[in-house]
Amino acid sequence: MSKFNMKNEYLSLNELDKLQNNYNKDDKNVILRHALSKTSIPDVIYVSESEHDLENKFSIDLKTMNVCNQKQSGRCWIFAGLNILREIIGKKLNVEQFELSQNYVAFFDKLEKINFTLSSVMELLDKEHDDRTLMHILTNGVGDGGQWDMFANLVKKYGVCPKNAMVETYQSSGTRESDVLINSMIRKFAADASKLYKEEKYDQIKEMKDELIQKSYNLLANCFGVPPKTFNLEYVDKDNKYHLVQNLTPKQFFDEFIGSEIDEYQSITNAPTKDKPYLKTFTIKYLGNVIEGKKVVHLNLTMDRIKEIIINQLSNNEPVWFGSDVSYYRNRTTGVWDTLSYDYMSAFGLDVKFSKEDMLNYFNSAMNHAMVITGVNLVNGKANKWKIENSWGDDIGNKGYFIMSSDFFDRFVYQAVVNKKYLDKEELEALEKEPVELKPWDPMGTLA
């Protein structure tokens, strides 16, 4: 039993008078109130001096392709994943610029997620509607986000194709409306299936699910387009030589240029919480898209070790997919993430910096965006800033590339995907052990 009773914590009128009197005594509040009436909080408390040590110069700087634009969608993890693959494919094709169809992968992600979610609901039909796991599944529903292993499952099953084989549509670039329809359909299925389950009409539940899968395919095809069965690969290489390969399937294209190479990549995380020891692997219940695909599996490591592995991979001219929380301390115009850029303490007296462990445990932070690390600046062997390939278009930052300070990286980066060849013997052995299964709502199960 708590020592506190919230009924005793009400605000009295006398306390409200005291709050206002104390506010009026501080002239700084007048200045802030005037400034904030016409200006955003970040712009008012921005610290311009923070830019001094964050120039766009890096000791390790990979020459990667032009940034892409996910527009009004949450497909960053797909964009980042395809940006990793296109660098591999681009080198093999000997081309300067190349873009894979994000819409093609996203189409099948949505279809697989719908099937995954409907199947999860069916598995939980013996529970009440307010069962926490069922509530979590229905509350989060089907969205645009994902994890690396979910991306790998998709491209291994369906392959990839050039962007011109399945171009963007209005709906693929702005997915809110279709997501609302999909999730309303899933929740109605849960309600209807629950009634049928109590009546032991199991065949009707399966028939209803199959019918909804067809309707979902129709909706996705109408919104995003029909995925191509074959395409022609047409390009001009760096030597100005024209190439044309006809009637490729997306799976053939993937198998030829990537294939089993994708299985060499492993998710590593930094979750410094007591329930997640380092050098252990973790998976998350009811997280995924392709039911028959590989589970989402994270190897938890110290941040120092993660940075060491990332730097080794970058030093070998290989970019790194990673997941971060980008909700705080960001400047979209300059393209800088830096914890020194905004001064909340001087303006409001609020100390909003607390440990990574506590941020995870108390729901203040978790991964919400995936990007690609393409460079790092080392001073005396230590990283003081990182070069980031974003997917928010080329009209912000340095033609769409961002800079992340060392402190921001330590505080808000939660996941990286690296080639297993950069892991040591102890880490590789940890991957052989059965992962600990975390609850569906664990912060390491959040989607980029």
Side-chain angles (χ1 to χ4, degrees):
M1 179 68 70
S2 173
K3 296 293 185 182
F4 297 95
N5 186 328
M6 64 178 295
K7 292 181 179 179
N8 299 327
E9 301 301 319
Y10 65 92
L11 288 171
S12 69
L13 295 180
N14 287 337
E15 285 176 300
L16 288 171
D17 287 339
K18 183 179 178 181
L19 292 172
Q20 184 170 346
N21 289 335
N22 288 338
Y23 172 85
N24 291 333
K25 289 177 184 176
D26 191 343
D27 291 339
K28 178 181 69 175
N29 289 323
V30 177
I31 299 170
L32 278 171
R33 186 172 73 247
H34 292 167
L36 292 172
S37 67
K38 296 290 185 180
T39 314
S40 71
I41 288 178
D43 284 346
V44 168
I45 64 172
Y46 183 68
V47 181
S48 59
E49 293 85 353
S50 65
E51 297 180 22
H52 295 169
D53 296 324
L54 291 173
E55 289 191 69
N56 192 50
K57 296 180 177 64
F58 303 89
S59 57
I60 299 175
D61 190 353
L62 279 57
K63 303 306 175 188
T64 45
M65 299 181 189
N66 295 341
V67 300
C68 306
N69 194 340
Q70 67 188 77
K71 297 188 178 178
Q72 302 302 311
S73 73
R75 301 170 294 164
C76 58
W77 60 292
I78 292 175
F79 275 72
L82 292 177
N83 286 345
I84 293 291
L85 297 192
R86 71 170 175 166
E87 295 294 338
I88 298 171
I89 295 171
K91 285 173 183 162
K92 293 177 180 179
L93 293 177
N94 190 34
V95 295
E96 289 184 356
Q97 298 295 332
F98 189 70
E99 192 168 350
L100 294 164
S101 173
Q102 302 91 1
N103 189 20
Y104 176 82
V105 178
F107 176 98
F108 288 111
D109 173 59
K110 280 290 172 67
L111 186 63
E112 289 282 0
K113 278 180 181 166
I114 291 168
N115 184 60
F116 189 100
T117 307
L118 291 173
S119 301
S120 300
V121 169
M122 290 169 66
E123 189 171 275
L124 294 167
L125 285 176
D126 60 334
K127 310 294 184 185
E128 293 298 322
H129 70 277
D130 57 355
D131 173 78
R132 185 172 182 184
T133 299
L134 181 59
M135 286 176 64
H136 173 83
I137 290 169
L138 294 176
T139 300
N140 287 275
V142 169
D144 294 354
Q147 293 257 5
W148 170 265
D149 287 322
M150 295 164 65
F151 170 78
N153 286 336
L154 289 167
V155 296
K156 287 174 68 176
K157 183 172 180 177
Y158 296 104
V160 294
C161 61
K163 184 152 191 171
N164 63 356
M166 188 171 178
V167 298
E168 291 290 307
T169 69
Y170 177 88
Q171 295 295 333
S172 69
S173 297
T175 53
R176 186 184 67 83
E177 294 173 343
S178 57
D179 283 348
V180 168
L181 274 175
I182 289 167
N183 286 307
S184 292
M185 172 198 74
I186 290 171
R187 290 161 189 152
K188 186 175 188 302
F189 169 80
D192 294 342
S194 177
K195 297 180 181 70
L196 292 172
Y197 188 84
K198 290 174 181 175
E199 298 171 3
E200 300 184 0
K201 296 179 179 178
Y202 309 129
D203 290 343
Q204 289 187 35
I205 295 172
K206 183 68 170 66
E207 289 170 5
M208 183 167 56
K209 184 241 185 181
D210 292 342
E211 182 182 347
L212 289 178
I213 291 294
Q214 179 63 64
K215 290 181 178 179
S216 297
Y217 185 96
N218 298 348
L219 173 65
L220 295 174
N222 288 331
C223 288
F224 306 148
V226 179
K229 295 282 190 182
T230 62
F231 63 89
N232 295 334
L233 178 63
E234 189 176 22
Y235 64 97
V236 177
D237 66 21
K238 292 179 183 177
D239 302 319
N240 205 33
K241 184 178 178 181
Y242 173 83
H243 300 264
L244 174 64
V245 184
Q246 295 180 305
N247 295 320
L248 272 174
T249 69
K251 190 70 167 63
Q252 286 173 332
F253 184 56
F254 174 82
D255 289 343
E256 180 177 348
F257 287 95
I258 304 295
S260 61
E261 195 172 340
I262 200 165
D263 295 325
E264 296 304 309
Y265 289 90
Q266 173 62 44
S267 166
I268 55 177
T269 54
N270 178 241
T273 54
K274 292 180 176 60
D275 63 330
K276 299 181 186 69
Y278 293 129
L279 279 173
K280 298 287 185 183
T281 56
F282 299 89
T283 188
I284 299 92
K285 192 172 180 61
Y286 288 113
L287 176 66
N289 50 4
V290 180
I291 288 177
E292 73 275 20
K294 179 181 178 290
K295 288 182 179 179
V296 172
V297 176
H298 304 308
L299 172 63
N300 201 32
L301 299 174
T302 66
M303 181 51 84
D304 285 344
R305 177 57 181 152
I306 287 177
K307 289 189 289 186
E308 181 183 10
I309 296 170
I310 291 174
I311 291 168
N312 288 340
Q313 185 159 317
L314 291 173
S315 299
N316 204 28
N317 203 36
E318 298 175 56
V320 177
W321 188 104
F322 82 113
S324 176
D325 182 355
V326 297
S327 306
Y328 308 97
Y329 306 107
R330 72 180 187 187
N331 188 319
R332 286 180 66 101
T333 303
T334 62
V336 170
W337 283 291
D338 181 18
T339 54
L340 299 179
S341 291
Y342 300 96
D343 185 0
Y344 294 94
M345 180 60 79
S346 294
F348 307 113
L350 294 176
D351 182 5
V352 292
K353 290 183 180 178
F354 49 114
S355 74
K356 199 171 190 178
E357 178 182 15
D358 286 344
M359 285 195 297
L360 286 169
N361 284 337
Y362 291 92
F363 317 108
N364 191 61
S365 179
M367 179 182 75
N368 56 26
H369 189 49
M371 299 166 285
V372 176
I373 304 171
T374 64
V376 62
N377 193 61
L378 302 177
V379 177
N380 298 322
K382 298 289 186 181
N384 74 334
K385 57 185 173 182
W386 303 80
K387 182 181 178 183
I388 308 300
E389 178 182 0
N390 207 344
S391 54
W392 292 346
D394 60 5
D395 57 348
I396 54 177
N398 181 30
K399 296 183 179 178
Y401 281 81
F402 280 46
I403 299 171
M404 190 173 283
S405 73
S406 176
D407 187 63
F408 186 100
F409 194 95
D410 290 348
R411 286 178 180 272
F412 294 109
V413 169
Y414 292 101
Q415 180 184 9
V417 173
V418 298
N419 196 300
K420 292 177 186 176
K421 65 186 177 184
Y422 299 107
L423 301 180
D424 62 27
K425 181 183 177 187
E426 194 176 12
E427 290 158 352
L428 290 171
E429 288 176 350
L431 293 177
E432 299 299 318
K433 298 176 181 177
E434 189 68 21
V436 175
E437 187 175 69
L438 301 172
K439 294 174 181 177
W441 44 86
D442 189 274
M444 300 316 292
T446 56
L447 302 179

